[in-house]
Amino acid sequence: ESAEASGEDGSEALPPPPVEVPPVPAAAPDGAGWWKRVGVGIRFGICNVKGRFDCALFIKDMQIGGPAENSGRINKGDLLWEVDGRMVYQGDLDEIQQLVLGLEDTSLDLIFKRPTHFDRNFGPTEANPDPEDMETVYVSLTR
């Protein structure tokens, strides 16, 4: 019997447990060793007008030349409705941020609702219809 097949006391040696290796993302880590997560060039505002739009996220600004602006499909004031098929309207800000940020060169599908009346600092006004009745805007962006 070989030394590899048996333990020092003569018992059969067990193989080492398998080591799980996480998949390697296509992007490189940043200087600190963390995988860099990027957005699509949208700065969101939080509606702070009490009522139907309270705590909803709206596009406050877009990075010049960023993926969002370059799409030509979304406008300042649009309300964030869905991220990659998940309803996020009036959702948790931290959760939404985790959904929007991702590895560079990955896609992101967003759905917005387009209000007809909005204040650039406070978001949609109560003069708008309910979000369900607003124009729906679909956009697929690359981070």
Side-chain angles (χ1 to χ4, degrees):
E1 195 171 330
S2 73
E4 292 175 15
S6 64
E8 289 183 27
D9 63 357
S11 63
E12 233 177 272
L14 297 174
V19 176
E20 289 191 34
V21 178
V24 177
D30 65 16
W34 294 94
W35 297 103
K36 186 174 180 182
R37 294 171 51 88
V38 297
V40 291
I42 297 174
R43 191 173 109 206
F44 290 104
I46 301 174
C47 297
N48 57 8
V49 176
K50 298 293 181 203
R52 295 175 293 158
F53 307 112
D54 192 30
C55 295
L57 294 184
F58 68 96
I59 298 176
K60 187 165 184 143
D61 204 2
M62 289 184 273
Q63 177 186 3
I64 296 171
E69 183 192 62
N70 286 345
S71 76
R73 300 198 31 87
I74 51 181
N75 298 331
K76 291 180 184 178
D78 287 351
L79 289 165
L80 184 60
W81 191 254
E82 285 186 17
V83 176
D84 283 336
R86 292 183 61 177
M87 169 67 88
V88 296
Y89 180 69
Q90 295 177 316
D92 178 72
L93 183 59
D94 291 332
E95 180 182 332
I96 295 169
Q97 182 178 14
Q98 291 305 311
L99 293 171
V100 171
L101 296 176
L103 296 176
E104 195 170 355
D105 295 324
T106 58
S107 66
L108 179 67
D109 295 325
L110 301 171
I111 297 178
F112 292 91
K113 294 293 184 163
R114 178 153 298 151
T116 52
H117 303 88
F118 77 96
D119 177 289
R120 66 182 303 265
N121 294 312
F122 301 106
T125 67
E126 287 297 317
N128 286 289
D130 287 332
E132 294 85 2
D133 299 325
M134 292 179 185
E135 176 187 354
T136 301
V137 180
Y138 302 88
V139 65
S140 185
L141 303 172
T142 301
R143 295 178 182 101

